[in-house]
Each structure stands twice: as C-alpha cells, then as structure tokens.
Amino acid sequence: MFPTVREILALDPIRHGAPRLVAGEAGLDRPVRWVHVAEVPDIASLLRGGELVLTTGIGLPGEDAGLRAFIGELADVGVSGLVVELGRRYVSGVPRVMAAAAARRGLPLVELRRATPFVRVTEAVHALIVDAQLTELRATEEIHQRFTELSVEGAGPAEVVRQAAELSGCPVVLENLSRQVLAYDPAGQSAELLLDGWEQHSRRISPPGRTAYDADRGWLVTTVGARGQDWGRLLLRWPGGGELTTGAPVRDGAPEPGPADVAPPPQAPPTRLTILVERAASALALGRLIWRDAEGLERQIHRTLLTALLDHSRPVDEVALRARALGVVLERRHLVGVVVRYRGDEPAADGTPPEGPAPVDPEAGPARLRDLSEAVGQALREAKLTGLSSAVDDQSVGVLLALPDPAAEERALAGFAAALRRNRVDAAGPRAAEPAPARTPEPARGNGAGAVIVAAGSGVGSLREARRSLVEARQVADAARRDRRDLPIFRLPHVGLAGLLHLLRDEPRLQTFVERELGALLAYDARHPREQLLGTLRAYLEQGRNKSAAAAAAHLSRPAFYERLARIARILDADLDSVEVCLSLHVALLALDAVRAP
C-alpha cells in the first residue's frame, strides 16, 4: 500500500517544517502515489491523481476566484493533498478562501510554518513509496507461490478460500452461478452477518467485467471457470478503507466557517488483491479439473478408462485394449452402466445432513467414497460379474458391466444389487458379514449414512455407446435421491422432470438457463423483498395459467393478481399468455427449486 497523507505528515522532514492541518482532515488517509513540487497555477493538467503537491504559493493567483479554481482543479484531478510553505507568498497563513475551498472539496491542506527544503521531503516520501512497491512485489510473489502450491497439491475449495482470506485479511466467499455459497472464510468477522440473506445480497453485486470492484457495496469479484465454462464467482470484501469521519476545517484551534469536509470516494482495492482473487479463482478452476484419491494402480486404471469413456478423452479402441489387459473384455459384450451412491451427502457427526454453507470434514467424504468403492468391488466379485468400476465423482461409484448377452441383464443387475446390500457400509460400521435382515423401505432422503441407491442405464451393444448408458445411470442415481421408494434398482422410467433437474443442479448450463429466464425477476425481488413476485409467477404456472385459481391460491384479489402478472411480464419481457414461454418459465422454476434444495 502507498503511504497516506497522515503518514507523510509524521516524517521528520515534514515535522521540521511545523506542519498544521488547515482543512480536509477526512482525507488524511488518502494514499500518496508521488510528490510533485509546483509553483504555477495550471499544474493540474500535468498530474494524474494521487500526488501530494508542494508549493510556496509564489505563482498562485491573487484573486479569490483564481484560488478557488486552483483548488477545484487539484481536487478534480484527484491529488491526495496540498502542502503550502509559508514565508514567501503567505506569511501568517494561507488565504481563508483557499482553506474554505479545500474544506468544501475534502482536499487536505497543510501549512508549513518554517522553511523546509522540499528535496528532503521528496526524498523521504519517494523512499516510502519505493518500499511500498517492493512490499507489494513481495506480497504478489507470495500470492503466486502460495496458490501455485495449492494447485499442485490439488487443494479443495475450502482450503483455497481459507488461504485467500488469510493472505488478504478480508472475508472471502465462493458461490455458484445460482448465488449459493460453496465455501467461505469470514477472516475473523461474523459468519452470520456475512452470509445472512446472501443470495439477495449477491444479486446486487454485479460489477462489469470478469474481474471488477463494486465500490458501492465493497466487493471485489472475479469469475471462476475453466475451458470456457464458468461455474461460479469468488468475492472478496474490501470496504475501501471504511467510512471517514467528517469535520469542519480548523485554523488556530477554531472552526473555520464554511461547508464540512467531504469524504473522498471509496478507495479501489490494491493491485495485489486483484491478483490474489484471480490466482485463487485459477486454483479453484484447476482443482475442479483434478481428482485426488489414494487408490491402487488397478483402480486408477479403471477410473482412467471410465473417465475416458465419459469425457471422450481416449479412442474407444484404446479403452478396449487397456481394459482387456486388465482382464475385462468389453468387445462384443452387452454393456450396462451402473452408478451407486449414498442416498444422502456427507452427514454431520450426529448423522443429520449438512445444512448451510458450513464446511465439512475434508477426510469424511473420501473415506466414505473409498468404503463404497470397496463394497461395489466386493459385490461384483460375489455376483461373479466383470466390468470396470471406479469413483466417478465425490459421491458416486460407477460400474460398466460387461455381460455375455442382453438376456442376462436383469438377472445380473438383481444379483449385483443383492450382493451390494449384503456388503454395503451402513451407519453402524463396516460392511456386514451376514445378509441384512428384512426391513421396511427407507424414507425419501434415507435414514443413516449407509442407505445406498443403485441406478442402471439402458443396455447398449457397443463400447461406443457405453457413455450414454453411464451418463443415464448417473442421472438416475442423483435424481433418485428425492424418491421415496426403496427400489433395488432405479431405472430411467422411475425418474420424472423434477428429479432430472435435481440431478443437473450443479450443471453451469442449467444455472445459466435459470438466470437467463428468471434472473431479472430474482434481482427485482432482491431489491423489493416485500413484493416477492416469484411466488406470484409460481402460483400462475402451477394453476395451469388459470388466473382466477392462481389469484385464490396466492390469496390475492384478481385485480391485484392481474397487476402483478403485468409487472412480471414487463420485468421478464415475456408474454405470459404464450404456452411456450410459460413452459420455459415453469421448467426454470423447477430448476431453481432443484439448485436451492439442500
């Protein structure tokens, strides 16, 4: 950070001149980028802002209007302060009109009552500035080194955000495109105050550009994404130095008549903070592309091959060749994609699902996933089935079954599901050694950490189609988490639209669709929390566009409901009488419910 006017006034060369603040006390914390000596009235055209101007006043205008114009031009260009040495032009003090003009514009105006060599002042200040620039370079180097290490280590989002908050000393929040908090660090401040009403607050923070500072709300924001796909934002709270106190200009201990000091505009964050959030965003984007786990070599190859099928990163012929080398023959086989996942996400210590943005134990997720991977491998061996199996994300294990013919599909899936139920990890401890006793179906979201879902995609006849079966199985598994049934195998016919959207809740393209369709209305509701027009739109769509029934459901009179619908149409620029438009909005509402659901 550059030295401030206040810090410069404490330097020995300035103190030797017996400085006295005449006006602009509120601006004493302005940073000083450079010191400039000037003895002409039109110096403002040569300045760029941030300078501390030193003068004896010998070249300044003699008339009041000229002095006001001189102060106004300095304030307009953004100088940090004006220091006037008395004795040559002004003997007892600067003119009252100059003090009043400086007070009106919030410009620090300082008198030096003893002769002061300006060269000593410039040397001392420029030494501070150079030291500040070196400190900034060292801080920038530390930022690059720290986030490079995090990227290499594959650190998770919580660790990246924590490091960003530690290096900056400011609260940091990572959110997705739906303004949901993925990770945060309050930097010693109140987390409750930071996150209360976050979605509405975040929607008001919309500075232009990929990385920009919203001075009105004090947030430095950068977009997070890689390979052309943005999936979130990283926000750093920078209040711009906080609010400055105001006061009347002082002269010889008595208030100077005239307007009060005007606080300077909020300071933009230093360059190092901009570099910090961009490097942190890069580390987050890279970390999303990296999957870390301590697996055996064979399991790593299984994962590599399954990932290659899902991502099209390797030719299918190469996948078949490498799988055959592992003893898994995929050519001329009936292939079925299967995904197994826990019905609930990582539980809290008391077994309840996590709520809110609180971080979870970083070791719990990988440990549960390893247990599930082992249970799936054991089930494949017990059912005497062959195929590739590996974790496919942080909650799921994927399997590509290779069966001799389509007729064996149902029998093989039933055998695998039964073996998995006997061997799964449940809330009581490791895999049971005996078959699980008969029990009643589990409720919708599962009781206990060990409730698992087995989902299967449609069988395919070639390895080139295997990705479709795996993706379908993953969609069904994620969507089935909201299903109240306790089916041995979930298939695509069991999943409705709401379930499918729940599966896609973390997909940036779905979040982008929600923002495109409903963003304007959500932003309006954020600015007008008492109106909540989203509920009006929901009632209208859920009642099949029957306005009378929707008005009754919303507990509004029909004229009031019609007026709200007209306002929604204007905000969204949409024809609410169009079936196609309303269908799109209804899907967007269902998707919004999915991304907001815990």
Side-chain angles (χ1 to χ4, degrees):
M1 299 287 290
F2 290 117
T4 64
V5 177
R6 189 188 306 277
E7 292 169 340
I8 290 174
L9 294 181
L11 294 175
D12 288 341
I14 291 285
R15 289 170 60 86
H16 174 77
R20 178 173 59 184
L21 180 66
V22 176
E25 181 180 2
L28 289 179
D29 291 316
R30 289 179 176 178
V32 175
R33 185 183 57 81
W34 203 247
V35 176
H36 197 91
V37 179
E39 299 295 353
V40 292
D42 57 350
I43 189 62
S45 61
L46 304 178
L47 303 177
R48 294 189 301 163
E51 296 90 354
L52 181 66
V53 177
L54 308 180
T55 183
T56 63
I58 58 175
L60 297 186
E63 68 281 4
D64 290 353
L67 288 176
R68 291 192 193 96
F70 173 70
I71 294 296
E73 290 171 358
L74 292 183
D76 290 340
V77 81
V79 301
S80 299
L82 174 63
V83 177
V84 180
E85 182 190 73
L86 303 181
R88 298 194 181 186
R89 174 68 182 276
Y90 309 121
V91 179
S92 60
V94 298
R96 295 172 63 89
V97 65
M98 179 184 291
R104 189 176 299 109
R105 298 301 300 269
L107 179 68
L109 176 60
V110 178
E111 296 174 343
L112 295 180
R113 291 170 287 176
R114 286 202 296 262
T116 304
F118 283 171
V119 65
R120 294 181 183 176
V121 177
T122 58
E123 286 176 346
V125 175
H126 291 167
L128 278 182
I129 292 173
V130 170
D131 286 344
Q133 291 173 333
L134 288 175
T135 301
E136 192 87 353
L137 287 174
R138 293 190 189 101
T140 301
E141 177 62 25
E142 182 182 359
I143 289 169
H144 282 295
Q145 182 176 352
R146 185 80 63 91
F147 286 107
T148 298
E149 291 173 356
L150 291 175
S151 297
V152 171
E153 294 171 359
E159 177 62 17
V160 174
V161 169
R162 187 188 72 80
Q163 293 284 353
E166 179 181 314
L167 287 171
S168 64
C170 302
V172 178
V173 176
L174 173 66
E175 65 176 16
N176 63 15
L177 296 180
S178 294
R179 309 302 198 269
Q180 292 177 313
V181 176
L182 304 177
Y184 72 97
D185 191 305
Q189 300 183 22
S190 170
E192 291 77 13
L193 291 178
L194 178 68
L195 300 178
D196 184 42
W198 175 259
E199 180 182 343
Q200 291 187 347
H201 178 63
S202 173
R203 291 185 183 280
R204 300 187 188 105
I205 305 170
S206 55
R210 192 167 182 84
T211 300
Y213 177 61
D214 189 328
D216 293 336
R217 292 172 176 82
W219 284 94
L220 177 61
V221 185
T222 190
T223 304
V224 183
R227 295 179 176 176
Q229 294 187 351
D230 298 333
W231 53 267
R233 297 198 306 173
L234 187 67
L235 301 95
L236 183 146
R237 181 81 170 102
W238 172 257
E243 295 181 358
L244 298 175
T245 58
T246 61
V250 176
R251 183 182 180 85
D252 295 331
E256 177 79 5
D261 286 354
V262 178
Q267 302 173 17
T271 303
R272 63 181 177 85
L273 289 187
T274 301
I275 295 173
L276 185 147
V277 297
E278 290 181 339
R279 288 292 287 114
S282 297
L284 289 166
L286 182 59
R288 191 177 172 107
L289 302 177
I290 298 174
W291 178 263
R292 299 171 63 242
D293 193 14
E295 293 179 315
L297 181 58
E298 180 180 347
R299 190 59 55 203
Q300 290 183 30
I301 298 175
H302 275 241
R303 175 194 289 166
T304 298
L305 298 181
L306 278 178
T307 302
L309 289 174
L310 287 169
D311 298 344
H312 297 301
S313 57
R314 296 175 185 269
V316 292
D317 293 339
E318 181 182 344
V319 172
L321 180 63
R322 297 192 64 181
R324 193 185 316 122
L326 289 174
V328 180
V329 179
L330 300 177
E331 302 101 320
R332 294 186 294 279
R333 292 292 190 273
H334 183 71
L335 306 175
V336 182
V338 178
V339 168
V340 182
R341 64 158 298 145
Y342 289 103
R343 190 178 284 273
D345 288 336
E346 299 168 15
D350 60 357
T352 60
E355 294 182 2
V360 297
D361 179 2
E363 300 297 329
R368 296 175 78 232
L369 194 58
R370 283 193 295 271
D371 290 340
L372 186 59
S373 295
E374 292 173 6
V376 168
Q378 181 66 22
L380 287 173
R381 289 189 289 272
E382 288 188 14
K384 297 180 172 54
L385 298 171
T386 61
L388 299 175
S389 69
S390 168
V392 291
D393 57 40
D394 57 354
Q395 297 289 343
S396 309
V397 176
V399 179
L400 182 62
L401 293 178
L403 306 176
D405 58 74
E409 179 176 322
E410 294 300 328
R411 184 174 66 255
L413 289 174
F416 170 73
L420 182 63
R421 284 179 178 268
R422 291 193 299 269
N423 291 285
R424 77 171 192 264
V425 180
D426 58 27
R431 291 188 304 274
E434 300 177 359
R439 56 185 175 82
T440 57
E442 294 163 347
R445 300 173 203 271
N447 291 331
V452 295
I453 292 169
V454 182
S458 303
V460 296
S462 70
L463 188 57
R464 298 184 185 278
E465 300 175 284
R467 180 182 184 276
R468 174 168 58 84
S469 184
L470 285 166
V471 170
E472 181 180 310
R474 178 190 280 179
Q475 293 175 345
V476 173
D478 281 352
R481 295 171 58 205
R482 302 171 65 87
D483 199 297
R484 302 190 63 88
R485 293 167 294 179
D486 186 29
L487 302 177
I489 303 287
F490 281 89
R491 307 299 291 264
L492 190 59
H494 301 137
V495 180
L497 176 60
L500 182 61
L501 293 173
H502 178 78
L503 148 75
L504 299 172
R505 56 184 295 189
D506 293 325
E507 171 59 47
R509 285 173 292 186
L510 180 67
Q511 297 173 7
T512 301
F513 168 74
V514 172
E515 291 300 309
R516 184 176 66 246
E517 294 292 317
L518 299 175
L521 190 61
L522 292 171
Y524 181 90
D525 280 353
R527 295 191 302 269
H528 306 84
R530 293 187 178 181
E531 296 188 34
Q532 294 302 311
L533 296 180
L534 188 71
T536 303
L537 177 62
R538 186 187 302 276
Y540 176 66
L541 297 176
E542 288 180 349
Q543 296 299 322
R545 300 190 300 123
N546 185 320
K547 297 180 181 178
S548 299
H555 305 289
L556 294 170
S557 66
R558 277 190 279 183
F561 187 84
Y562 295 165
E563 191 277 332
R564 283 190 165 215
L565 278 185
R567 200 180 324 155
I568 292 171
R570 290 194 300 271
I571 293 171
L572 296 178
D573 192 22
D575 179 8
L576 296 184
D577 292 325
S578 167
V579 174
E580 183 177 352
V581 169
C582 288
L583 174 62
S584 181
L585 291 174
H586 202 174
V587 172
L589 272 175
L590 292 175
L592 179 65
D593 292 341
V595 299
R596 284 179 169 175

